[in-house]
Amino acid sequence: MTTSAVHRLTNTIPSPVIAIFSYAIATGYSTSVLPLIIPEGVLSASLFTGWLTAIFYTGMISGTLSSNILILRLGHKTSFITLQLCLSFILLLLPVFTNQYFWLLDRAICGFLVGGIFVTIESWLLKGSDDRKRKRLSIYMCALYAGTTLGQLALSVFGAAGNTPFTLSAIALILAAITLVILPDYKSETHFVSSSIPTITSFHHWVKTPALTGCFISGILLGSVYGVMPFQLQTMGMSQKQIGLMMAVIIIGAITVQPVISILSKKVGGTLLISFFSLLGAMSIALSEQYLNYLFIGMFLLGMAVFALYPISINLGSSDFSENDMVGASQQMLLTCSAGSIFGPLIAQKFISSQYGIFGLFFIILITTSIYMLLVSIKGISRIAIHK
């Protein structure tokens, strides 16, 4: 590929997005594998699965709060590369030490690193005008979920046995770091000074409540999908190949919805969009429960709904922030999402053996969210009408 072709590529797709694609392959594969190969110990399989995911997101909260220090000292690019390399090393330790307590510690560290990765890239990409920001966000989410889909499909191809999942995932993480080294620097990056990167504790400007609520609900659902869904499908009698395929269908739905979000966000308010997609998710679960033959369609629509909530929420939440405050805004939203991701798996694992499994939990959360966001949207419209 010529230099001019490389520049054209990075002008269309920012180099951090290309790197996050490789990262997503790694995490999509390794996250799908973990619930299927958990080590034996004092905790039962379902309970340990919930705690493994919860401890990951607990670490993610710590990484979210600490990431501004790393970005301040190293900049976005070097921070991203450093975090990717550290994550690849920590991931390789899992098959070496097959002990439940070590796995909990390892996943906490992984969560810490992943929290830093997401604050780094989202604050990196969320700068600029609303139109360009929406476009970059759509491309970013598509790359994230496309990579996750390939990672899910890797489970069907390479399986979950031995060291293979972790070795391949580590290689993909290293490739993500190499991508940023060899590709031209992302042009929107600015060199921050100390005053431009506030900590979460110094904030006087908080993200809108509906946006934080959307992030929290998104965290509950995403944490449950990634952490508990494979185990739930396994209890339904599905093979590893079928589980990988079903998870891929969910992520394909997530990819499909991203351009739709970008278009609708220009015309429809964020709270109304969250209400609509929450309702879509609830309807997809009802469809799957009523007609098992439509399970693939139901999972596709569920993926669209669940994975639409976070990008809509962060777009809604970042609209009132200046570029200098974007790191802090990203911290707030990712912190809230991570908090939801802690509670989600712990609650979901209690529903696994119930009549409707975690799908019953999803239905309750989605229909409640839809009603709440609809009321918020109506209240906002009423205020506008009164002011006029």
Side-chain angles (χ1 to χ4, degrees), residues 28-77:
Y29 187 17
S30 59
T31 304
S32 297
V33 164
L34 286 178
L36 306 178
I37 59 170
I38 54 177
E40 295 183 359
V42 294
L43 299 177
S44 65
S46 61
L47 184 60
F48 184 70
T49 299
W51 276 105
L52 199 64
T53 305
I55 200 71
F56 172 85
Y57 287 105
T58 302
M60 196 170 174
I61 289 178
S62 300
T64 299
L65 293 172
S66 307
S67 57
N68 60 314
I69 301 173
L70 188 66
I71 297 171
L72 172 63
R73 295 188 177 182
L74 302 180
H76 287 90
K77 179 178 178 178

Side-chain angles (χ1 to χ4, degrees), residues 212-223:
L212 291 179
T213 302
C215 289
F216 183 73
I217 296 300
S218 173
I220 292 176
L221 297 173
L222 292 177

Side-chain angles (χ1 to χ4, degrees), residues 99-255:
N99 175 276
Q100 284 190 348
Y101 295 113
F102 179 83
W103 273 42
L104 290 172
L105 174 63
D106 189 284
R107 292 303 288 168
I109 298 173
C110 284
F112 179 87
L113 296 171
V114 169
I117 288 170
F118 277 114
V119 170
T120 301
I121 192 167
E122 288 177 9
S123 62
W124 202 359
L125 295 173
L126 282 174
K127 295 180 292 181
S129 65
D130 286 343
D131 286 341
R132 295 185 65 186
K133 182 171 65 178
R134 277 192 291 262
K135 181 179 178 182
R136 285 195 301 270
L137 190 59
S138 176
I139 296 173
Y140 160 62
M141 288 297 176
C142 284
L144 181 63
Y145 297 147
T148 304
T149 301
L150 290 179
Q152 305 284 6
L153 291 174
L155 175 61
S156 301
V157 177
F158 299 106
N163 298 335
T164 301
F166 304 102
T167 302
L168 294 179
S169 296
I171 291 172
L173 290 170
I174 293 171
L175 288 175
I178 293 174
T179 297
L180 282 189
V181 173
I182 63 176
L183 289 180
D185 288 349
Y186 177 47
K187 293 181 180 179
S188 290
E189 180 173 10
T190 57
H191 295 287
F192 287 91
V193 295
S194 179
S195 61
S196 67
I197 303 183
T199 63
I200 193 80
T201 55
S202 66
F203 254 116
H204 301 291
H205 187 189
W206 288 88
V207 174
K208 298 174 182 176
T209 300
L212 291 179
T213 302
C215 289
F216 183 73
I217 296 300
S218 173
I220 292 176
L221 297 173
L222 292 177
S224 300
V225 167
Y226 283 126
V228 184
M229 181 69 81
F231 188 77
Q232 174 72 77
L233 296 176
Q234 188 180 52
T235 61
M236 293 168 60
M238 292 189 183
S239 64
Q240 287 186 4
K241 184 175 182 179
Q242 290 172 325
I243 293 171
L245 185 59
M246 194 63 67
M247 294 296 292
V249 168
I250 293 174
I251 306 301
I252 290 172
I255 298 170

Side-chain angles (χ1 to χ4, degrees), residues 297-318:
I297 297 175
M299 292 300 97
F300 176 81
L301 294 176
L302 181 64
M304 290 183 66
V306 169
F307 286 86
L309 300 185
Y310 186 63
I312 296 171
S313 298
I314 63 174
N315 191 49
L316 175 65
S318 64

